[in-house]
Amino acid sequence: MTELRHDNWIGSTYGNSWMHHWLIKILRVTDVCILYAFAYVFVVPPTMLIQKKERKAIYNYFRKRHGLSKLKAAWMTYRNHCSFAQVVIDKFAMYAGKKFKITMDGYEAFEELSKATEGFVQLSSHIGNYEIAGYSLVAKDKRFNALVFGGEKESVMANRSHMFEDKNIRMIPMKNDLSHLFFLDNALSAGEILSMPADRLFGSSKSFTLNFFGAEAHFPQGPFVIAAARRVPMLFVAVMKSGKTSYHIIIKKIPGPISQNNREKAHELAQSYVDCLEKVIRKYPLQWYNYFEFWT
């Protein structure tokens, strides 16, 4: 069987540095809801017409994974694109200095691990707006190391760096030469926090095939192999949009594996992560932002 490769999804933020610069300027003096409305009418429809593969992938997600009718799946596909537009606008709104109301569920799990001497792995996913976690989950005594997509636009990376500069956060871009692995290993050795995406394969053929929404899907082995080998705890963190100007952060500690073999431990951790991911997505079905055929 040909393995699903998630690296066929571009993954970078749409637009160039000039567009990003002016979007931030506009958002400094404009309510986000006005930009939402503009995107619903003038951005989302043409985007859906042009990006046929991405549109079909999300349509199949609603049709097959949620069992919706053809008409309902088509409507939800449009709403999903609108939801993603909101998340992108919100990201630039934060760069422009706007604030969002944040609520949390499970913060005590993060607080407990951030006070411990050992490091831990925090798992992210391409759902909701995970970047907000960097502004909200701050450990005073631990550096936060975020593994990020290496092909992201320079303007976005510059804005992130500016937002993170006083929060003890280091961004580690993923590189084709795998040099980022050196930084990941050092971070855990130093007892720091390592944040990694756990729902996409970026150039690696090593994956676990797990049941997700009643069908097989591939998830990267990397984050779980690292945690199993290092014997460090793992957190599942999702930041879901809960209102026009509010987000809800969900934090869950991944149960420790009972197996003795490292590969079996990693597999158990991956399944626990997938179980958490499915529960959150069933509650927030519109906020699934993997725009390719995810399932085998």
Side-chain angles (χ1 to χ4, degrees), residues 60-111:
N60 287 338
Y61 155 73
F62 285 114
R63 186 91 170 92
K64 298 177 180 179
R65 306 281 71 88
H66 290 281
L68 302 182
S69 67
K70 292 181 180 180
L71 185 61
K72 185 66 178 294
W75 171 239
M76 292 294 277
T77 299
Y78 169 73
R79 290 185 61 195
N80 166 270
H81 281 71
C82 291
S83 178
F84 184 61
Q86 288 184 11
V87 165
V88 174
I89 291 168
D90 288 352
K91 179 165 62 176
F92 283 93
M94 288 185 290
Y95 300 157
K98 291 189 181 295
K99 304 294 184 182
F100 291 86
K101 181 182 178 182
I102 306 296
T103 57
M104 294 191 197
D105 180 18
Y107 177 74
E108 60 278 358
F110 175 84
E111 187 176 39

Side-chain angles (χ1 to χ4, degrees), residues 13-27 35 38 43 88 92 153 155-156 159:
T13 303
Y14 178 79
N16 55 38
S17 59
W18 180 86
M19 294 170 63
H20 296 166
H21 173 76
W22 277 102
L23 180 57
I24 293 171
K25 278 185 171 293
I26 291 170
L27 281 164
L35 272 294
F38 179 86
V43 179
V88 174
F92 283 93
K153 302 291 174 58
S155 56
V156 175
N159 279 299

